[in-house]
Amino acid sequence: MSAFLVVVANCLALAGAPKISVESLPDLVVAGTNPQQGVAGAFSALVAGKIVVAGGCNFPEKSPADGGKKVYYDTIWELDLGVPEAGWRISDHKLPAPAAYGVSASYWLGGENAEKKLDTALLPPPELCPALSLPVTLDNAAGSATTIAGGNADGAPATKAFSLDKESSTWCELPDFAGNPRAQPVCGFVKTPRGKAFALVGGFAFYKEKNAAVVDCAGVVYFPEEKKWERIPALPAEVSGAGLVGAAAMEYDGGLLIVGGVNAKIFKNALENPAPDYLRHEAEWYKFNADVLFLSFDNNGKAVWQKLGSAPELARAGASLVPIGDGEFVYVCGELKPGFRSTKCVRVKIEK
């Protein structure tokens, strides 16, 4: 195993900023890809000391710029953190169907494949058995614990949210959140003076008839006891240029730790003014987000955005983030640039 590569946080010159440690783990390589690639938009979980990555998609033969076809997978890969040097192995089990762009929470929820959108809910391995299906198909959404929101519902951009009532075994539809739909947002439960709340942040909406894209670096927060949503101010541009689309997040220290995703300005311009050579640049041109961001709420209930530091290894979109401990996670694959999936896997620790 390689030694830790230490990246010192530069939280806008804030004294006492944490240290961010990044350790390389074995690559996840999908067989038959040339050049070698991993996957994006996969399901993931920590199961009995193993990182489990399932499904996802890539362009195995050639870039979409050259007419390459996106392929979805039902494969499940495993990396034992006790013996990571043994590398990734393919599980004997498979997903019920190829799938990507679902939600990895208490259940593996929704997603899509080349044939259809999905409403499935699966218990992660080793069970892999179907649970209560979602009331709609849902893809490119975000979820935490048993709450899911954003994305496309029944194939259309939506402002819907659902929570699973375990006692009645039913999905309860929450009030719609205000504002634009949010495809590929991030989410998590956060501490506020008004109790624990569900924060849904980032995502985008594209209005074809107006040729207008909204790359929304703000968010909304749902207070379960009050049964209502409120808005969260946008990530300030002076803190980071992250687009919060295709990012990954985890609950940390009472707030939400957010990494990866696209660059806001470049992504918005690509949606509204697609250039013929957009897919042909080197990875650095796209300026995927390398900043480690933190969203929390102060004692007055005000949302606070911070940049804890930067790590170039995290500059990917659609990667899988698997929490493995307090301030520690494994970050797997994702896009290095549109149409090309990284094989890289790293273990990251935020040290206060």
Side-chain angles (χ1 to χ4, degrees):
M1 186 189 306
S2 62
F4 273 96
L5 168 65
V6 176
V7 182
V8 180
N10 58 4
C11 181
L12 297 178
L14 181 66
K19 182 172 67 176
I20 302 171
S21 303
V22 181
E23 175 193 359
S24 295
L25 293 174
D27 288 3
L28 191 164
V29 178
V30 178
T33 53
N34 185 23
Q36 290 187 335
Q37 292 188 64
V39 289
F43 295 101
S44 60
L46 176 66
V47 181
K50 296 178 181 179
I51 301 297
V52 178
V53 173
C57 59
N58 61 23
F59 294 86
E61 295 180 351
K62 55 186 177 180
S63 164
D66 298 316
K69 181 182 178 182
K70 181 182 287 187
V71 172
Y72 294 81
Y73 295 91
D74 58 7
T75 309
I76 299 175
W77 298 268
E78 299 176 347
L79 178 69
D80 190 336
L81 290 178
V83 284
E85 62 274 12
W88 292 87
R89 65 173 291 273
I90 294 178
S91 170
D92 294 332
H93 303 286
K94 291 181 179 293
L95 293 176
Y101 306 119
V103 166
S104 299
S106 299
Y107 302 91
W108 286 350
L109 301 166
E112 67 176 28
N113 56 36
E115 284 74 43
K116 61 182 180 179
K117 308 288 187 178
L118 303 173
D119 64 357
T120 50
L122 294 173
L123 283 168
E127 290 85 355
L128 267 183
C129 58
L132 183 68
S133 296
L134 292 162
V136 294
T137 66
L138 211 57
D139 64 273
N140 289 283
S144 184
T146 54
T147 300
I148 184 170
N152 302 305
D154 287 335
T159 55
K160 292 183 177 297
F162 302 90
S163 182
L164 180 62
D165 183 332
K166 290 187 175 181
E167 289 188 6
S168 63
S169 296
T170 57
W171 286 98
C172 302
E173 186 166 356
L174 304 178
D176 284 8
F177 56 83
N180 297 291
R182 296 174 180 272
Q184 297 187 18
V186 295
C187 74
F189 281 91
V190 296
K191 291 181 181 178
T192 80
R194 293 153 60 183
K196 206 170 184 181
F198 175 79
L200 182 70
V201 181
F204 77 99
F206 182 68
Y207 298 95
K208 188 175 181 181
E209 66 280 3
K210 300 177 182 177
N211 192 41
V214 177
V215 179
D216 198 338
C217 295
V220 289
V221 59
Y222 183 73
F223 296 93
E225 296 298 321
E226 302 171 33
K227 294 183 170 57
K228 70 175 184 178
W229 295 91
E230 292 183 6
R231 294 180 183 270
I232 299 172
L235 168 69
E238 62 269 23
V239 173
S240 175
L244 305 183
V245 174
M250 74 176 195
E251 295 160 11
Y252 168 69
D253 199 24
L256 199 58
L257 192 76
I258 305 172
V259 298
V262 302
N263 176 274
K265 289 183 178 179
I266 292 174
F267 184 68
K268 177 178 171 65
N269 187 61
L271 290 172
E272 295 178 343
N273 305 289
D277 63 345
Y278 174 70
L279 296 174
R280 298 189 181 277
H281 298 287
E282 295 298 319
E284 294 74 16
W285 183 90
Y286 300 93
K287 297 182 180 179
F288 280 5
N289 174 48
D291 295 336
V292 179
L293 304 171
F294 185 61
L295 171 66
S296 61
F297 288 77
D298 65 18
N299 292 333
N300 296 315
K302 179 182 177 182
V304 178
W305 285 100
Q306 292 175 281
K307 174 181 169 182
L308 303 185
S310 298
E313 297 86 352
L314 304 180
R316 308 180 220 155
S320 296
L321 186 156
V322 184
I324 60 172
D326 184 24
E328 195 168 2
F329 62 92
V330 172
Y331 194 65
V332 189
C333 295
E335 288 187 341
L336 273 179
K337 66 176 210 172
F340 186 83
R341 275 54 170 168
S342 172
T343 62
K344 298 300 178 185
C345 174
V346 294
R347 182 172 184 161
V348 181
K349 186 172 185 180
I350 312 295
E351 300 177 79
K352 297 180 185 177

PDB file of all heavy atoms in Angstrom, residues 168-180:
ATOM      1  N   SER A 168     -45.141   1.694   9.061  1.00  0.00           N
ATOM      2  CA  SER A 168     -46.230   1.330   8.151  1.00  0.00           C
ATOM      3  C   SER A 168     -45.725   0.732   6.850  1.00  0.00           C
ATOM      4  O   SER A 168     -46.521   0.294   6.014  1.00  0.00           O
ATOM      5  CB  SER A 168     -47.086   2.561   7.844  1.00  0.00           C
ATOM      6  OG  SER A 168     -46.317   3.547   7.176  1.00  0.00           O
ATOM      7  N   SER A 169     -44.385   0.720   6.689  1.00  0.00           N
ATOM      8  CA  SER A 169     -43.776   0.203   5.450  1.00  0.00           C
ATOM      9  C   SER A 169     -44.364   0.882   4.216  1.00  0.00           C
ATOM     10  O   SER A 169     -44.736   0.227   3.237  1.00  0.00           O
ATOM     11  CB  SER A 169     -43.949  -1.319   5.355  1.00  0.00           C
ATOM     12  OG  SER A 169     -43.268  -1.958   6.390  1.00  0.00           O
ATOM     13  N   THR A 170     -44.449   2.206   4.268  1.00  0.00           N
ATOM     14  CA  THR A 170     -44.945   2.971   3.117  1.00  0.00           C
ATOM     15  C   THR A 170     -44.040   4.168   2.876  1.00  0.00           C
ATOM     16  O   THR A 170     -43.454   4.732   3.804  1.00  0.00           O
ATOM     17  CB  THR A 170     -46.381   3.476   3.359  1.00  0.00           C
ATOM     18  OG1 THR A 170     -46.407   4.270   4.552  1.00  0.00           O
ATOM     19  CG2 THR A 170     -47.360   2.328   3.495  1.00  0.00           C
ATOM     20  N   TRP A 171     -43.958   4.532   1.588  1.00  0.00           N
ATOM     21  CA  TRP A 171     -43.249   5.760   1.223  1.00  0.00           C
ATOM     22  C   TRP A 171     -44.222   6.923   1.350  1.00  0.00           C
ATOM     23  O   TRP A 171     -45.286   6.919   0.740  1.00  0.00           O
ATOM     24  CB  TRP A 171     -42.718   5.672  -0.205  1.00  0.00           C
ATOM     25  CG  TRP A 171     -41.527   4.786  -0.344  1.00  0.00           C
ATOM     26  CD1 TRP A 171     -41.505   3.493  -0.760  1.00  0.00           C
ATOM     27  CD2 TRP A 171     -40.170   5.135  -0.044  1.00  0.00           C
ATOM     28  NE1 TRP A 171     -40.234   2.998  -0.743  1.00  0.00           N
ATOM     29  CE2 TRP A 171     -39.384   3.987  -0.318  1.00  0.00           C
ATOM     30  CE3 TRP A 171     -39.539   6.289   0.410  1.00  0.00           C
ATOM     31  CZ2 TRP A 171     -37.994   3.976  -0.137  1.00  0.00           C
ATOM     32  CZ3 TRP A 171     -38.157   6.279   0.585  1.00  0.00           C
ATOM     33  CH2 TRP A 171     -37.402   5.137   0.314  1.00  0.00           C
ATOM     34  N   CYS A 172     -43.858   7.894   2.164  1.00  0.00           N
ATOM     35  CA  CYS A 172     -44.702   9.073   2.355  1.00  0.00           C
ATOM     36  C   CYS A 172     -44.165  10.208   1.488  1.00  0.00           C
ATOM     37  O   CYS A 172     -42.967  10.518   1.550  1.00  0.00           O
ATOM     38  CB  CYS A 172     -44.702   9.502   3.816  1.00  0.00           C
ATOM     39  SG  CYS A 172     -45.261   8.221   4.951  1.00  0.00           S
ATOM     40  N   GLU A 173     -45.045  10.817   0.700  1.00  0.00           N
ATOM     41  CA  GLU A 173     -44.616  11.943  -0.112  1.00  0.00           C
ATOM     42  C   GLU A 173     -44.577  13.202   0.748  1.00  0.00           C
ATOM     43  O   GLU A 173     -45.565  13.570   1.373  1.00  0.00           O
ATOM     44  CB  GLU A 173     -45.547  12.147  -1.309  1.00  0.00           C
ATOM     45  CG  GLU A 173     -45.046  13.218  -2.268  1.00  0.00           C
ATOM     46  CD  GLU A 173     -45.748  13.195  -3.613  1.00  0.00           C
ATOM     47  OE1 GLU A 173     -46.587  12.301  -3.836  1.00  0.00           O
ATOM     48  OE2 GLU A 173     -45.438  14.071  -4.459  1.00  0.00           O
ATOM     49  N   LEU A 174     -43.415  13.828   0.792  1.00  0.00           N
ATOM     50  CA  LEU A 174     -43.249  15.065   1.546  1.00  0.00           C
ATOM     51  C   LEU A 174     -43.716  16.239   0.685  1.00  0.00           C
ATOM     52  O   LEU A 174     -43.922  16.087  -0.525  1.00  0.00           O
ATOM     53  CB  LEU A 174     -41.772  15.247   1.926  1.00  0.00           C
ATOM     54  CG  LEU A 174     -41.131  14.104   2.717  1.00  0.00           C
ATOM     55  CD1 LEU A 174     -39.663  14.412   2.982  1.00  0.00           C
ATOM     56  CD2 LEU A 174     -41.873  13.860   4.008  1.00  0.00           C
ATOM     57  N   PRO A 175     -43.896  17.424   1.266  1.00  0.00           N
ATOM     58  CA  PRO A 175     -44.211  18.586   0.433  1.00  0.00           C
ATOM     59  C   PRO A 175     -43.120  18.807  -0.611  1.00  0.00           C
ATOM     60  O   PRO A 175     -41.938  18.541  -0.352  1.00  0.00           O
ATOM     61  CB  PRO A 175     -44.239  19.743   1.448  1.00  0.00           C
ATOM     62  CG  PRO A 175     -44.484  19.098   2.763  1.00  0.00           C
ATOM     63  CD  PRO A 175     -43.840  17.749   2.705  1.00  0.00           C
ATOM     64  N   ASP A 176     -43.500  19.269  -1.783  1.00  0.00           N
ATOM     65  CA  ASP A 176     -42.504  19.619  -2.795  1.00  0.00           C
ATOM     66  C   ASP A 176     -41.611  20.741  -2.271  1.00  0.00           C
ATOM     67  O   ASP A 176     -42.068  21.623  -1.540  1.00  0.00           O
ATOM     68  CB  ASP A 176     -43.176  20.089  -4.084  1.00  0.00           C
ATOM     69  CG  ASP A 176     -43.762  18.936  -4.884  1.00  0.00           C
ATOM     70  OD1 ASP A 176     -43.775  17.799  -4.369  1.00  0.00           O
ATOM     71  OD2 ASP A 176     -44.196  19.177  -6.027  1.00  0.00           O
ATOM     72  N   PHE A 177     -40.332  20.702  -2.642  1.00  0.00           N
ATOM     73  CA  PHE A 177     -39.468  21.822  -2.270  1.00  0.00           C
ATOM     74  C   PHE A 177     -39.622  22.958  -3.280  1.00  0.00           C
ATOM     75  O   PHE A 177     -39.985  22.737  -4.441  1.00  0.00           O
ATOM     76  CB  PHE A 177     -38.004  21.394  -2.137  1.00  0.00           C
ATOM     77  CG  PHE A 177     -37.394  20.718  -3.343  1.00  0.00           C
ATOM     78  CD1 PHE A 177     -36.887  21.450  -4.408  1.00  0.00           C
ATOM     79  CD2 PHE A 177     -37.309  19.326  -3.400  1.00  0.00           C
ATOM     80  CE1 PHE A 177     -36.297  20.825  -5.500  1.00  0.00           C
ATOM     81  CE2 PHE A 177     -36.725  18.686  -4.489  1.00  0.00           C
ATOM     82  CZ  PHE A 177     -36.217  19.449  -5.542  1.00  0.00           C
ATOM     83  N   ALA A 178     -39.370  24.174  -2.843  1.00  0.00           N
ATOM     84  CA  ALA A 178     -39.559  25.354  -3.681  1.00  0.00           C
ATOM     85  C   ALA A 178     -38.427  25.496  -4.689  1.00  0.00           C
ATOM     86  O   ALA A 178     -37.339  24.956  -4.529  1.00  0.00           O
ATOM     87  CB  ALA A 178     -39.629  26.604  -2.799  1.00  0.00           C
ATOM     88  N   GLY A 179     -38.725  26.242  -5.757  1.00  0.00           N
ATOM     89  CA  GLY A 179     -37.700  26.556  -6.736  1.00  0.00           C
ATOM     90  C   GLY A 179     -37.617  25.557  -7.864  1.00  0.00           C
ATOM     91  O   GLY A 179     -38.570  24.824  -8.157  1.00  0.00           O
ATOM     92  N   ASN A 180     -36.456  25.517  -8.491  1.00  0.00           N
ATOM     93  CA  ASN A 180     -36.238  24.669  -9.657  1.00  0.00           C
ATOM     94  C   ASN A 180     -36.039  23.211  -9.271  1.00  0.00           C
ATOM     95  O   ASN A 180     -35.632  22.911  -8.139  1.00  0.00           O
ATOM     96  CB  ASN A 180     -34.981  25.142 -10.400  1.00  0.00           C
ATOM     97  CG  ASN A 180     -35.123  26.543 -10.934  1.00  0.00           C
ATOM     98  OD1 ASN A 180     -35.892  26.793 -11.852  1.00  0.00           O
ATOM     99  ND2 ASN A 180     -34.372  27.484 -10.369  1.00  0.00           N
TER     100      ASN A 180
END
